[in-house]
Amino acid sequence: MQEERVRDDSSVPEMLEVKVPSATKDGEVIKFEIKTVTTLSDYPSCDLATSRTFEDVEWLHNTLSVREDPGGSIVPPLPNRPASTAAEAEALMRLEYGGEMRNMLADHIPKYCRSVEMFLNLLAKHARYRRSDAFKQFLDSMPLPPRVLAKLSIFRRATNVVKDKGLQSKKDPDDFFHTQRAFIHESHQCMKDVNIVFHQQLVSERQFAMSLGAFASNITKAGSSACSSKEGHTKLMTRFGQVMDQCQQAETALATTSENTFAFTFCVYEKYLESAKDMLNRRLRLLTESESAAAAAVKAKPAAKAKADAAREEAVQKFEEISKLGRTELSLFHQLRVHSLQTALVAYCQSQISTGRDTYAMLARSLSELRQIEE
């Protein structure tokens, strides 16, 4: 009763938050544990918990982006498919970080959980999709319908690609959308360039951390080898190896934090900008259809005049609806994009400063210890 009163109280702000705290591996299937807390009255409970596979996540995205016409909505991007075996995870790490990188599947689980959680929370923040029946069904523990992904036909995909290419040079009669299209196209390209450069930096950081680890191991072995006859020499080499190992841990932590903040957010919004471009292309296609319908209505013979006028009115109505919703969507999208990137940049800078200070203090302390050993 108390739960129902809280949910029915109009003074309580609307809230829908999704957490993916963990995931388990069942054979070659990864199951994500999903927990939801909400004050929305049209959800079956304030607290929901369920377990979903990545195929379920694909079903949800497919339902919202293909089965249901997104119109002027910007659909949050689908996360990358996780590696389901250790061999796939290692191959992915080799592809992303170079041939010398090694990693096990368990190390990827938190990354997959974070990606799915981000996708679900982007839907939860969306005014349309947070009320979607498919989203409610996904967050609840009820069984999902058969996960048959609806796909655009090859002919329709090819037609859309050709149309979109032809629309690139089309002048939009609405200055707002014309400006937005140019801005999003440029921002998407810049985001791709930043991701490439930052990924190269991450690769260098990971490889440097691995080199520090190998150096620390060799120094420690040299200090404990039989040829080290002097006790002071052994202590010095052992302590120096420990210092290098601490540096390796600090560099690894720094690279991991960088990947979890700045790199992760930029990858998400690179794909999110692609979704915004898709929405603008859908609108331009409807603009072309409305112009064609208007021209056909003017040329229509008296016997087909009524049908042509009805088709024109329907096309104009669809175009006006997508334009109205698209204007609102773009405004909210940019607010969310700027806030997310600012948050990620602040977290990235804070981690850089904090790790730098800790590393400096550790090195200063270790240098003093090494000098005492030499004496």
Side-chain angles (χ1 to χ4, degrees), residues 17 52 107 124 131 171 306 315 350:
E17 184 176 3
R52 300 296 188 192
D107 298 327
R131 304 283 186 181
K171 177 68 169 68
Q350 287 177 341

Side-chain angles (χ1 to χ4, degrees), residues 145-360:
R147 294 183 294 274
V148 178
L149 302 183
K151 298 183 179 180
L152 297 176
S153 66
I154 297 178
F155 176 75
R156 184 177 174 186
R157 287 201 301 268
T159 301
N160 287 344
V161 169
V162 172
K163 286 183 178 180
D164 293 345
K165 287 291 184 181
L167 293 174
Q168 296 302 318
S169 59
K170 184 178 180 63
K171 177 68 169 68
D172 198 304
D174 190 316
D175 290 339
F176 171 80
F177 284 102
H178 185 76
T179 303
Q180 284 293 314
R181 188 174 57 170
F183 174 79
I184 288 176
H185 178 78
E186 183 178 358
S187 298
H188 181 251
Q189 185 59 50
C190 290
M191 197 78 75
K192 289 178 64 176
D193 295 340
V194 170
N195 274 333
I196 292 173
V197 174
F198 199 77
H199 178 73
Q200 293 173 346
Q201 177 181 325
L202 281 176
V203 172
S204 299
E205 290 178 353
R206 294 284 189 187
Q207 292 177 342
F208 180 57
M210 289 182 61
S211 299
L212 285 174
F215 183 58
S217 178
N218 291 331
I219 289 294
T220 302
K221 289 179 181 178
S224 59
S225 62
C227 61
S228 299
S229 57
K230 295 183 179 180
E231 182 179 356
H233 176 75
T234 300
K235 289 184 178 180
L236 181 65
M237 296 291 284
T238 301
R239 181 59 187 139
F240 186 62
Q242 293 174 350
V243 172
M244 291 296 99
D245 185 64
Q246 291 175 327
C247 289
Q248 184 266 340
Q249 295 176 14
E251 189 67 27
T252 300
L254 188 63
T256 301
T257 305
S258 301
E259 184 177 18
N260 293 343
T261 55
F262 197 74
F264 173 72
T265 305
F266 262 67
C267 286
V268 170
Y269 277 90
E270 178 189 337
K271 294 194 291 185
Y272 213 164
L273 283 167
E274 188 70 36
S275 297
K277 289 172 62 177
D278 291 341
M279 185 276 289
L280 291 173
N281 286 335
R282 288 195 300 271
R283 179 184 170 276
L284 278 180
R285 288 198 293 269
L286 288 179
L287 172 61
T288 302
E289 291 175 8
S290 66
E291 291 174 344
S292 299
V298 172
K299 298 177 182 179
K301 296 180 179 180
K305 184 67 174 176
K307 184 178 180 180
D309 288 340
R312 176 183 57 80
E313 291 177 2
E314 182 182 0
V316 170
Q317 182 180 1
K318 288 182 179 179
F319 174 71
E320 290 177 349
E321 288 175 355
I322 195 174
S323 297
K324 181 180 179 180
L325 179 58
R327 189 182 295 270
T328 303
E329 282 280 308
L330 286 170
S331 177
L332 296 175
F333 168 73
H334 288 311
Q335 292 177 20
L336 180 63
R337 177 182 60 85
V338 170
H339 178 265
S340 298
L341 292 177
Q342 285 178 339
T343 302
L345 184 58
V346 168
Y348 169 72
C349 293
Q350 287 177 341
S351 69
Q352 292 278 334
I353 294 172
S354 177
T355 305
R357 287 174 176 172
D358 293 343
T359 304
Y360 173 80

Side-chain angles (χ1 to χ4, degrees), residues 33-45:
E33 301 300 321
I34 301 173
K35 298 182 178 181
T36 307
V37 179
T38 182
T39 59
L40 299 178
S41 59
D42 51 346
Y43 276 75
S45 175

Side-chain angles (χ1 to χ4, degrees), residues 83-144:
S84 58
T85 65
E88 290 180 359
E90 183 174 333
L92 181 62
M93 288 298 293
R94 286 175 176 271
L95 178 64
E96 292 183 351
Y97 296 110
E100 298 301 322
M101 297 301 299
R102 294 288 192 276
N103 206 346
M104 298 303 292
L105 179 61
D107 298 327
H108 286 261
I109 295 296
K111 180 179 179 180
Y112 299 149
C113 290
R114 191 169 57 254
S115 297
V116 173
E117 182 177 295
M118 169 69 89
F119 169 65
L120 296 178
N121 277 303
L122 288 174
L123 291 174
K125 294 175 183 177
H126 197 282
R128 172 181 176 181
Y129 295 128
R130 70 190 306 179
R131 304 283 186 181
S132 168
D133 291 337
F135 190 42
K136 297 175 191 175
Q137 190 175 9
F138 178 89
L139 296 178
D140 199 2
S141 56
M142 66 179 67
L144 298 179

